Amino acid sequence: MKFGLRLRGGLIATLILFGAPVVAPVGAVFVSSSALAQTVQSISVEGNRRVEVETIRSYFKPGPGGRLDQAAIDDGLKALIETGLFQDVRINRGSGGQLIVSVVENPVIGRIAFEGNKKIKDEQLTAEVQSKARGTFSRAMVQSDTLRIAEIYRRSGRYDVRVTPEIIEQPNNRVDLIFTIEEGVKTGVRSIEFVGNNAFSSYRLRDVIKTRETNLLSFLGSGDVYDPDRVEADRDLIRRFYLKNGFADVQVVAALTEYDPEKKGFNVTFKIEEGAQYRVGAVDFRSSIPNFDPTSMRGYSRVNVGSLYNVESVEKSVEEMQIEASRRGYAFAVVRPGGDRNFEAHTVSVVFNIDEGPRTYIERINLRGNTRTRDYVIRREFDISEGDAYNRALVDRAERRLKNLDYFKSVKITTEPGSSSDRVILIVDMEEKSTGDFSVSGGYSTTDGALAEVSVSERNLLGRGLFAKAAVTYGQYARGYSLSFVEPYLLDYRVALGLDLYQREQKSNSYISYGTKTLGFSPRLGFSLREDLSLQLRYSIYRQEITLPSYLANCNNVVGSSAFNPSPAFSAATGIPLDPSTNGLGCYNDGEASLPVRKELANGKTLTSALGYTLTYNTLDNNKNPTDGLLVDFRQDFAGVGGDVSYLKSVVDAKYYTPLVSDIVGLVRLQGGMLNKIGSTDLRMLDHFQMGPNLVRGFSPNGIGPRDLNPFGTQDALGGTKYWGASLELQMPFWFLPKEVGLKGAVYADAGGLYDYRGPTSWTATNEVNAPGCIPSSINPSSTGTCTGLVYDDSKVVRSSVGVGVIWQSPFGPLRFDYAVPLSKGKYDRTQEFRFGGGTTF
């Protein structure tokens, strides 16, 4: 790095910033003790302009007996130098015991400017440097600021940065300070290698760490920028990953970085010593606390005999046991895990020792760095407060909760000694980060067509920990808006209150002949029952109506004085529908929507009022890109709390991920649902389940299940009240591509079914026998005054398919391409072998 100073305005000089440590300004004079042997009677000050005389004199303090001896003079001189206010300090002896202090004050900085900086704004650099406008100029401080600016650029991956400080002298002992910056090019990570990894491939380990290799799309992110702190953090991520998978002796020996001048980037190599993989051989509980039964803690252990040794399971067990002991009145109980390795059998016998810990109390909880977030937002994440017994497990839990808030770049809780030996002070150090988002999103799918969304959200509204979001969606077939608000601590309880207002419009397309408009409001309450178990209670009220082109509903007419709303009549003898052109049913020549659709249209706007809940069990290792764990959702909604409809809808969806071999991940998915009628109110077609590729890939949206068979109509999908589905999928990387590309493939097999339509099947009209072509049919079960029965297919056929897919975790958002071939299907099902969907935020 190059440093230098240039004086402008016709005056040229050199400011030396580096070399031997500066002890005193140039020209500072230390007078010998013999010269000052006489008693000092007075102190006079020369050369000062801004600093008061008395301020300078105050640095020379008489010693014992009131005499200003040589030691006191030396101390005063050093103190003046250390203030950084003076370029030069000299001490001389005058007549009559006079001490003369001659000073040359440092200039005052008139302004600070930055030139050449394009990637980092002036405001950020101004906040980082110590030199300030209208402050005192200091060579040492300028040196420090130069290094600090260079370090900021290094953190952003620009290691070729050059920073040159320049001084412009101004009248009245003032200077302007200008930092000229040559930013250089971005320095990335060209390669990431692993040495000593046998159990896990390099491809798998690259998914564990945060550092990424430079690729063609790196300009959309910053993970490929070399950051030594991030590389060091990656060492710990690798170690934790091995410890979770049974490698109790693992060591990440080093993270070696080497700059490659030819590639103009860094090569990073992680050296790993894996050791053996261990399983849990035994789990035991011991206690030294009188009257405390250690076996009562067995229910709080997440460590099971025979399972792989998992350090995270041990840590979570310790935390839950220690918290439970505290609840039972053992406030100072400490749970210490121990392990005895059997090197031959490769097992670990885990012992949880429960002992009486030191009687230490929390004196204070000091918060530092929360410039925006209110104190109470941070303190409510603690299950302990000032005056309580110190419990490390609860402190660790609070730190984890604060990190999960995603309000801070970093959170660290440390302890300091309190006012006495049994008191500690908790220090919570935080660094705030931006919590607001403005996004413009776009996407396309074979179902919804092109789609765009503009949204504004804030995770920490007003620093109060509130969440708010507003979004507007506009697309070919889907439009609407939504407003969301979440209060995570309702009435200071760990209960989240959510409010959602939304409006959606779904337009007709090639898969459905009708459109829908929905306006709704939904308050909800969220509870965290355990770390892996959550419950949501909700109430939903929404108004819904169907829209339909007039030509698809023009058979709703009047013949004479009689209502006439026919479907094409079928011959009782042959079961063949009559030709509408010869039977007075010409309104079918341009098509006609199915009977349930037209009946919904005639009913107008319908109000639904429902209570519901969702129970979620989640043990996934990664919610965005899972490779191990179980996710189960069970939902029920009861409609009939007022409104126009009533039903009970139950849905379950379970996904199980497990790693197999060579970075291949297996996925098993089971899903099912049931819709039950309650009371005398008929079920609407719109409340039925509609299924397609969301159940069995290879079928079109709404392509599975009961369907109107009217050959002269739109043959709409009617939906069903029961469905089930099962899927087996293998996800695997493309080993010949860099990990950073984010591509992986999938092969899968799906099976499922949708059946048992319970919606409208007839439309009663008066004197329909006068209607042309109205002939009772054995296919359409007739009744008095009814001649408009619905003919539909509701066969309980198992639909199945096999297919392949490409999954891309792209910088533009998640994208997926699927090609599936149906193996079995219903006679009237509709297929769609290729399907694509995805979106982005930019």
Side-chain angles (χ1 to χ4, degrees):
M1 186 173 294
K2 176 183 176 183
F3 297 93
L5 294 177
R6 184 168 69 249
L7 302 180
R8 299 181 181 174
L11 189 63
I12 302 177
T14 302
L15 176 63
I16 301 175
L17 290 178
F18 295 100
V22 178
V23 177
V26 177
V29 176
F30 296 86
V31 183
S32 67
S33 58
S34 59
L36 294 173
Q38 301 178 10
T39 303
V40 176
Q41 301 295 329
S42 63
I43 300 175
S44 64
V45 178
E46 298 176 349
N48 60 307
R49 293 185 178 184
R50 299 185 309 276
V51 183
E52 297 290 340
V53 171
E54 292 303 322
T55 301
I56 297 175
R57 286 175 177 167
S58 66
Y59 284 87
F60 297 91
K61 300 176 181 179
R67 296 186 58 184
L68 190 64
D69 56 15
Q70 179 64 39
I73 294 173
D74 289 347
D75 290 343
L77 177 62
K78 292 177 182 178
L80 282 175
I81 293 170
E82 290 173 355
T83 63
L85 298 174
F86 307 102
Q87 289 185 17
D88 189 12
V89 180
R90 293 175 182 268
I91 298 179
N92 297 303
R93 179 71 176 178
S95 60
Q98 185 183 32
L99 186 70
I100 302 173
V101 182
S102 301
V103 298
V104 177
E105 294 180 347
N106 273 326
V108 173
I109 300 175
R111 69 184 181 95
I112 298 177
F114 304 92
E115 295 180 355
N117 56 310
K118 297 179 180 179
K119 302 300 181 181
I120 300 179
K121 295 181 179 180
D122 287 0
E123 293 79 6
Q124 182 178 349
L125 294 175
T126 301
E128 293 290 344
V129 298
Q130 293 178 304
S131 299
K132 303 296 180 184
R134 296 183 296 278
T136 302
F137 172 79
S138 169
R139 298 178 183 181
M141 192 177 296
V142 172
Q143 174 185 342
S144 175
D145 290 340
T146 303
L147 295 174
R148 177 60 181 157
I149 294 171
E151 183 64 20
I152 293 172
Y153 274 92
R154 286 197 184 101
R155 294 296 180 189
S156 64
R158 298 183 182 276
Y159 276 75
D160 290 334
V161 64
R162 299 290 184 271
V163 183
T164 305
E166 304 177 15
I167 307 301
I168 305 175
E169 288 192 347
Q170 301 291 353
N172 301 320
N173 199 29
R174 300 175 70 87
V175 296
D176 290 342
L177 176 58
I178 299 177
F179 293 96
T180 302
I181 303 170
E182 298 176 21
E183 294 182 322
V185 296
K186 197 174 185 181
T187 311
V189 176
R190 296 300 176 181
S191 69
I192 302 174
E193 302 296 336
F194 300 88
V195 177
N197 56 309
N198 298 313
F200 300 101
S201 68
S202 297
Y203 190 96
R204 178 70 182 93
L205 293 179
R206 287 191 184 98
D207 199 36
V208 174
I209 62 178
K210 301 295 184 184
T211 304
R212 295 287 180 260
E213 291 181 352
T214 300
N215 57 73
L216 293 176
L217 300 175
S218 294
F219 68 94
L220 296 171
S222 60
D224 69 310
V225 175
Y226 175 69
D227 184 343
D229 289 343
R230 181 162 54 201
V231 172
E232 191 62 29
D234 286 340
R235 289 183 62 185
D236 187 60
L237 290 176
I238 296 171
R239 176 178 168 274
R240 297 283 298 181
F241 175 74
Y242 271 91
L243 289 174
K244 284 169 53 180
N245 289 277
F247 293 87
D249 299 324
V250 66
Q251 292 185 41
V252 183
V253 180
L256 306 176
T257 57
E258 181 182 5
Y259 183 75
D260 188 335
E262 293 184 1
K263 296 181 179 180
K264 293 185 178 180
F266 284 90
N267 299 323
V268 180
T269 303
F270 294 96
K271 298 184 67 175
I272 304 170
E273 293 181 2
E274 292 182 333
Q277 189 178 42
Y278 292 85
R279 291 188 174 272
V280 178
V283 181
D284 195 13
F285 304 85
R286 300 171 186 172
S287 173
S288 63
I289 302 176
N291 302 322
F292 187 95
D293 181 11
T295 58
S296 64
M297 293 288 104
R298 189 174 296 276
Y300 299 92
S301 171
R302 299 191 179 190
V303 182
N304 300 314
V305 175
S307 64
L308 283 176
Y309 176 77
N310 186 333
V311 70
E312 287 193 357
S313 297
V314 174
E315 291 172 349
K316 289 178 181 178
S317 299
V318 168
E319 180 179 296
E320 294 189 8
M321 291 179 193
Q322 196 158 320
I323 292 172
E324 177 60 22
S326 179
R327 290 195 186 108
R328 297 183 185 183
Y330 299 92
F332 300 100
V334 177
V335 181
R336 296 185 177 92
D340 184 14
R341 293 178 177 82
N342 185 325
F343 297 102
E344 294 181 356
H346 292 163
T347 60
V348 178
S349 297
V350 180
V351 179
F352 294 100
N353 298 292
I354 306 167
D355 304 313
E356 187 76 23
R359 293 184 171 270
T360 307
Y361 297 88
I362 299 173
E363 184 173 322
R364 290 194 314 276
I365 301 177
N366 292 341
L367 310 180
R368 299 193 303 210
N370 56 316
T371 55
R372 180 168 177 265
T373 305
R374 308 291 180 94
D375 282 5
Y376 73 86
V377 174
I378 299 167
R379 292 182 182 275
R380 69 190 183 187
E381 298 300 329
F382 286 80
D383 290 328
I384 50 178
S385 57
E386 293 161 345
D388 289 349
Y390 174 74
N391 188 318
R392 187 66 218 180
L394 293 177
V395 172
D396 291 341
R397 172 181 283 188
E399 182 174 327
R400 187 170 62 252
R401 286 174 176 172
L402 289 172
K403 290 178 179 178
N404 291 339
L405 289 177
D406 201 24
Y407 299 163
F408 311 102
K409 290 181 181 179
S410 61
V411 179
K412 184 67 176 177
I413 302 179
T414 56
T415 60
E416 292 182 357
S419 58
S420 60
S421 59
D422 63 345
R423 297 287 188 271
V424 295
I425 300 173
L426 294 184
I427 307 297
V428 186
D429 287 303
M430 298 154 287
E431 183 181 357
E432 299 262 15
K433 71 176 183 180
S434 175
T435 55
D437 291 305
F438 172 78
S439 67
V440 180
S441 306
Y444 180 83
S445 74
T446 48
T447 304
D448 297 325
L451 191 70
E453 179 184 271
V454 178
S455 67
V456 179
S457 64
E458 172 58 61
R459 300 191 303 276
N460 188 14
L461 185 64
L462 303 176
R464 300 176 181 271
L466 306 174
F467 173 84
K469 181 179 180 179
V472 177
T473 303
Y474 191 89
Q476 279 182 277
Y477 307 120
R479 299 169 186 176
Y481 65 84
S482 63
L483 299 173
S484 299
F485 173 84
V486 177
E487 164 56 84
Y489 278 79
L490 180 62
L491 301 177
D492 290 330
Y493 289 98
R494 202 175 293 278
V495 177
L497 169 66
L499 302 174
D500 298 299
L501 176 66
Y502 56 90
Q503 188 273 334
R504 292 193 296 264
E505 180 181 1
Q506 180 70 45
K507 305 181 77 66
S508 60
N509 53 50
S510 57
Y511 304 109
I512 54 175
S513 64
Y514 56 91
T516 59
K517 292 183 179 180
T518 306
L519 176 63
F521 173 71
S522 178
R524 48 193 164 85
L525 295 175
F527 306 84
S528 180
L529 305 180
R530 286 189 339 199
E531 194 168 335
D532 56 4
L533 188 64
S534 61
L535 173 67
Q536 183 191 89
L537 305 178
R538 61 182 172 273
Y539 170 72
S540 301
I541 182 169
Y542 58 91
R543 186 187 66 193
Q544 194 172 39
E545 63 177 315
I546 274 186
T547 59
L548 198 63
S550 59
Y551 69 89
L552 293 181
N554 59 2
C555 283
N556 297 332
N557 49 37
V558 176
V559 178
S561 60
S562 303
F564 179 42
N565 187 17
S567 292
F570 280 68
S571 166
T574 64
I576 301 174
L578 301 178
D579 185 352
S581 63
T582 60
N583 289 277
L585 303 178
C587 59
Y588 275 95
N589 287 336
D590 57 358
E592 191 75 359
S594 299
L595 182 149
V597 176
R598 288 180 286 126
K599 189 167 184 179
E600 292 287 351
L601 180 67
N603 289 338
K605 298 176 181 178
T606 303
L607 184 68
T608 300
S609 176
L611 289 172
Y613 70 92
T614 299
L615 190 63
T616 302
Y617 177 74
N618 186 350
T619 62
L620 297 182
D621 59 343
N622 187 314
N623 288 330
K624 291 185 178 180
N625 188 23
T627 60
D628 192 14
L630 177 65
L631 174 62
V632 180
D633 275 333
F634 179 72
R635 305 189 301 274
Q636 280 195 310
D637 289 281
F638 169 70
V641 189
D644 303 320
V645 299
S646 60
Y647 60 77
L648 176 64
K649 183 178 287 188
S650 306
V651 173
V652 63
D653 188 356
K655 298 177 182 177
Y656 175 66
Y657 295 84
T658 183
L660 300 176
V661 294
S662 300
D663 303 317
I664 297 176
V665 176
L667 166 62
V668 179
R669 182 180 183 184
L670 301 175
Q671 53 181 320
M674 181 177 295
L675 177 67
N676 297 103
K677 175 181 176 180
I678 296 178
S680 59
T681 305
D682 292 332
L683 294 173
R684 300 189 308 157
M685 182 203 70
L686 291 180
D687 295 325
H688 282 59
F689 298 110
Q690 296 284 359
M691 292 292 164
N694 54 333
L695 187 68
V696 180
R697 284 162 284 195
F699 291 83
S700 66
N702 297 356
I704 293 175
R707 184 174 299 278
D708 178 17
L709 299 184
N710 181 354
F712 304 105
T714 54
Q715 296 188 337
D716 294 293
L718 305 177
T721 59
K722 300 180 180 67
Y723 78 89
W724 66 273
S727 298
L728 295 175
E729 181 170 313
L730 297 178
Q731 298 178 356
M732 63 208 73
F734 293 117
W735 292 277
F736 55 88
L737 292 176
K739 177 74 174 179
E740 288 67 30
V741 175
L743 275 173
K744 59 183 177 180
V747 295
Y748 52 82
D750 297 340
L754 173 68
Y755 51 91
D756 200 12
Y757 172 73
R758 294 293 183 91
T761 57
S762 63
W763 199 340
T764 302
T766 59
N767 199 20
E768 286 183 345
V769 292
N770 295 330
C774 184
I775 301 175
S777 166
S778 60
I779 297 179
N780 286 317
S782 305
S783 59
T784 304
T786 300
C787 189
T788 56
L790 176 69
V791 178
Y792 63 98
D793 173 67
D794 195 1
S795 57
K796 297 181 179 180
V797 177
V798 175
R799 283 82 173 177
S800 62
S801 68
V802 293
V804 296
V806 176
I807 306 167
W808 186 21
Q809 295 294 334
S810 76
F812 309 103
L815 303 175
R816 176 153 184 155
F817 306 82
D818 282 300
Y819 181 80
V821 178
L823 298 180
S824 61
K825 62 179 182 176
K827 183 178 180 181
Y828 303 100
D829 288 346
R830 297 182 180 180
T831 61
Q832 181 189 65
E833 295 180 348
F834 176 76
R835 185 168 183 256
F836 161 74
T840 182
T841 298
F842 48 88

